[in-house]
Amino acid sequence: MKPIIPILLIFGLSVGAQAQRIVVGSKKFTESYVLGEIAKTTLQNAGFAAEVRQGMGGTIILWQALQGGEITLYPEYTGTIDEEILKTKQPLSTDQMGALLRQRGVGMTGELGFNNTYALVMRRDRAAKLGIGKISDLRNHPDLSLGLTHEFLDRQDGWTPLSARYGLQMRNVRGIDHALGYAALANGSIDLKDAYSTDARIAENNLVVLDDDLHFFPQYKAVFLYRLDMDRRAVAALETLVGTIDEARMTRLNSEAERTKNYALAAALYFGQKPVSPSNDLIRNIERWTLRHLELVGASLFLGIIAGIPLGIRASRPGPVSNFILATSGVIQTIPSLALLALLVPLPFFGISPVTAIFALFLYSLLPIVRNTATGLQDIPTAVRESAAALGLEPRAQLWKVFLPLASRTILAGVKTSAIINVGTATLAALIGVGGLGEPIISGLNLNDYSTILQGAIPAALLALLVQFFFDGLDRVFVPKGLRLKQ
Amino acid sequence: MIKLSSVSKKFGTTVALHETNLDVSAGKATVLIGPSGCGKSTILRLIIGLLEPTSGTIEIDGDRVTPTNILPLRRRIGYVIQEGGLFAHLTARKNILLMAKHLKQPAERMETRLHELCELTHFPEDGLLRYPVELSGGQRQRVSLMRALMLQPSVLLLDEPLGALDPMVRARLQDELKEIFKRLQQTIVMVTHDMAEAGFFADCIVLLNEGRIVQSGTLDDLRTRPATEFVREFLRAQRAVEAI
């Protein structure tokens, strides 16, 4: 009888484990991808069904996704938890932090080992020439050009308090994407940028980290945040990672990920395994991305037409309601897509799902459709309008039989504009981990790897052309022949 | 047939038509004439309900024009405007049949009527499949007239129907239109700014100026017994080529 019990136990364990599907989130930079893959492998080795959602937008989006249950865990840094999530005024001990997080239904593992704090970096040759070694040296060089990430510019432990603490009066500060910033440093268009201290590119690009001589930057110890409803055994598995990754090791893993352009491979290195080469079938990937992309564009455009044409009809009549409709759809267009996604994710029903991306794209597709419908109808000459009324047609029949067909070309042009804009904008769906052709573009941008970017960008451009041709064809179906003839 | 009682129309503070009484007799052609902005088109648009009067009442065949009965009333009135007002997305045939089809008239009856109308307006039947852009100005006006007559209206309103045509086509169409009017024996109200055209068509000419009726009567009445200096001047301004 004895050997049966462990077998039953193992059996029971694996059945129990499979009941919970674990989704690991990661932020959109190399280290977060790698840590996500390491967590996934660890959980899989412990018998859980785990998957990774790569490259989600930023701290807020991941935190919301964790609270909403779209993801089960993700790697985070103590400094970020302190400053951006709990927003406490004074630094907290690990225990205090854990207690505050628990109140919000979130658990925190022990520290993984390394401290990935913010750092200011410059090219080694440039720093040597100017004699800059520490951040306070910058006081004497107010004309240096700084290219800082948008997150760093806005953070409570970011640029503004840093320059206040050091008394810096830099004149040229602008926001630039993290990955692009390295290229800008290399070609000399900026002198200085922010970086993470474990960033592999510091060594690769021969950069120096400026000494934080006033100890401004808080500690950024890596931990995993997880939902308290996550299986106890999964928590135990994660805790085995605690204290196993020091700075040198993390830097090496990051560097490996960037060299091979493969995060799973870098994660495998952590486990000392020969990595199983993941299916890297480019054609199938592009097919999968493109299909998802078409889904997003198609669904959002469909909704855009269904809602946009009636709104446009209403907006073609003069009055305050029309002004409101046109102004609102115009204002929506000015909201940056990442901001719109960040606003939608915390709302009930949305979260990290294709629905959110489709809804955002739907909002963006409204303006061209609404405006063109309204303009197309307003441009119908008074003589034609009055003739339709004078015949004795009811207003509804006037609209369907006369006005809409006459405006069809303009309306269709609006739909076409929306479709093409949506093909481009849908790449941003990857920011909330929904996939589409934005997936290779964003990960390529992070890896500074043009061929990966092109894997997404070329199909997206071709898709835009295809959409254009498709709608040119639709002109023949939807625009009556009498309107296509030349005088 | 058509009776305007104390009808006026204001746009904001601008008076387009002062209080006006007008009786249009059945089976006669009444022509409204006057300089631009005199209110002649306004009267036509009030009759067909494109404008609502500021005061007063309008009756057609004893029925008062109100927003609730305007649809059936419009179907008893034909309306032709200067540029034709044809729907560019429909062929000539579909323009003409649009309303009859909307009212689900039997196909056979529509075909018979269409055939009659082509014959009446001298419009070639093979032109029916053309789109408005493929037709000449004169042909477009014929189609517009056919569309107005399709439902056999009891009243025909024409707002400068020949105004946009070149003089030769215009002269020919005037002859044809007069012939058509004679055959229809219908109540007709036509707007023009050309006194010769008015004299050519009218059983009764109504001369307007600055939103008021100045004089109404036959061309002869206006010529021999002008009510005011304006009437005399208006007639003099429209001198014929032979008189120069």
Side-chain angles (χ1 to χ4, degrees), chain A residues 109-114 222-223 238-247 249 270:
Chain A
T109 64
E111 291 160 6
L112 302 183
F114 65 93
V223 294
L238 280 182
E239 291 286 355
T240 62
L241 296 171
V242 169
T244 61
I245 311 175
D246 60 11
E247 266 99 7
R249 193 171 195 190
Y270 170 86

Side-chain angles (χ1 to χ4, degrees), chain A residues 19 33 83 124 194 220 227 271 318 345 356 358 405:
Chain A
Y33 288 141
E83 302 281 343
R124 190 173 294 281
D194 56 310
Y220 282 85
R227 291 175 61 84
F271 295 100
V345 164
T356 309
I358 288 169

Side-chain angles (χ1 to χ4, degrees), chain A residues 129-401:
Chain A
K129 197 170 147 209
L130 297 173
I132 299 175
K134 45 189 195 295
I135 296 178
S136 47
D137 291 341
L138 293 175
R139 284 184 209 135
N140 307 323
H141 300 278
D143 288 322
L144 288 180
S145 169
L146 276 68
L148 305 176
T149 60
H150 299 278
E151 181 161 5
F152 186 68
L153 276 172
D154 289 340
R155 287 178 73 101
Q156 292 184 16
D157 56 349
W159 175 249
T160 314
L162 171 93
S163 46
R165 167 79 73 88
Y166 278 93
L168 301 179
Q169 311 237 303
M170 309 307 284
R171 296 195 190 108
N172 301 311
V173 180
R174 60 190 139 146
I176 186 168
D177 177 82
H178 181 59
L180 294 178
Y182 282 108
L185 263 186
N187 70 22
S189 46
I190 59 173
D191 299 307
L192 205 84
K193 79 180 253 50
D194 56 310
Y196 312 106
S197 55
T198 52
D199 196 325
R201 275 169 290 192
I202 293 174
E204 267 169 37
N205 295 3
N206 202 15
L207 307 176
V208 285
V209 174
L210 301 191
D211 185 22
D212 180 16
D213 48 336
L214 297 184
H215 304 292
F216 170 77
F217 289 121
Q219 296 275 298
Y220 282 85
K221 298 288 186 61
V223 294
F224 282 102
L225 294 185
Y226 56 88
R227 291 175 61 84
L228 285 177
D229 61 11
M230 187 169 77
D231 196 305
R232 257 182 320 109
R233 283 157 306 194
V235 178
L238 280 182
E239 291 286 355
T240 62
L241 296 171
V242 169
T244 61
I245 311 175
D246 60 11
E247 266 99 7
R249 193 171 195 190
M250 193 66 239
T251 310
R252 206 172 63 247
L253 295 177
N254 285 343
S255 151
E256 184 63 15
E258 305 215 346
R259 192 180 61 76
T260 60
K261 319 294 185 197
N262 188 333
Y263 310 112
L265 202 78
L269 193 71
Y270 170 86
F271 295 100
Q273 316 169 336
K274 265 260 182 256
V276 204
S277 175
S279 68
N280 223 350
D281 191 341
L282 181 61
I283 302 293
R284 271 192 43 206
N285 277 340
I286 289 181
E287 188 185 302
R288 181 169 53 87
W289 293 324
T290 308
L291 282 179
R292 171 43 71 89
H293 209 81
L294 281 173
E295 255 171 48
L296 297 174
V297 172
S300 58
L301 191 65
F302 177 74
L303 293 175
I305 294 168
I306 298 268
I309 292 180
L311 284 172
I313 291 170
R314 182 61 191 77
S316 69
R317 284 179 266 163
V321 177
S322 307
N323 295 340
F324 176 76
I325 293 173
L326 289 173
T328 309
S329 47
V331 165
I332 290 172
Q333 208 72 10
T334 65
I335 304 175
S337 16
L338 188 54
L340 185 58
L341 289 174
L343 289 174
L344 289 176
V345 164
L347 300 179
F349 178 69
F350 288 111
I352 303 294
S353 75
V355 174
T356 309
I358 288 169
F359 188 74
L361 290 172
F362 154 71
L363 290 178
Y364 286 126
S365 66
L366 278 180
L367 181 68
I369 298 177
V370 170
R371 194 167 281 273
N372 275 40
T373 304
T375 311
L377 291 173
Q378 282 161 353
D379 283 352
I380 295 172
T382 314
V384 173
R385 247 166 219 295
E386 295 195 337
S387 290
L391 276 179
L393 285 171
E394 300 86 351
R396 176 178 280 271
Q398 293 175 27
L399 187 68
W400 281 100
K401 298 199 166 173

Side-chain angles (χ1 to χ4, degrees), chain B residues 92-111:
Chain B
R93 182 189 156 84
K94 287 187 173 160
N95 262 286
I96 300 165
L97 295 184
L98 178 67
M99 198 57 211
K101 274 191 180 157
H102 182 64
L103 298 174
K104 300 195 169 65
Q105 284 192 356
E108 208 174 313
R109 185 163 138 211
M110 287 195 287
E111 291 306 323

Side-chain angles (χ1 to χ4, degrees), chain B residues 2 30 44 76-80 144-145 148-149 153-158 177 180-181 184 186-190:
Chain B
I2 303 174
T30 303
L44 225 53
R76 282 158 48 193
I77 303 174
Y79 183 61
V80 178
S144 183
L145 184 62
L149 293 172
S154 49
V155 178
L156 185 58
L157 308 179
L158 304 106
L177 202 54
I180 292 168
F181 288 176
L184 290 173
Q186 222 166 7
T187 310
I188 285 160
V189 183
M190 180 165 157

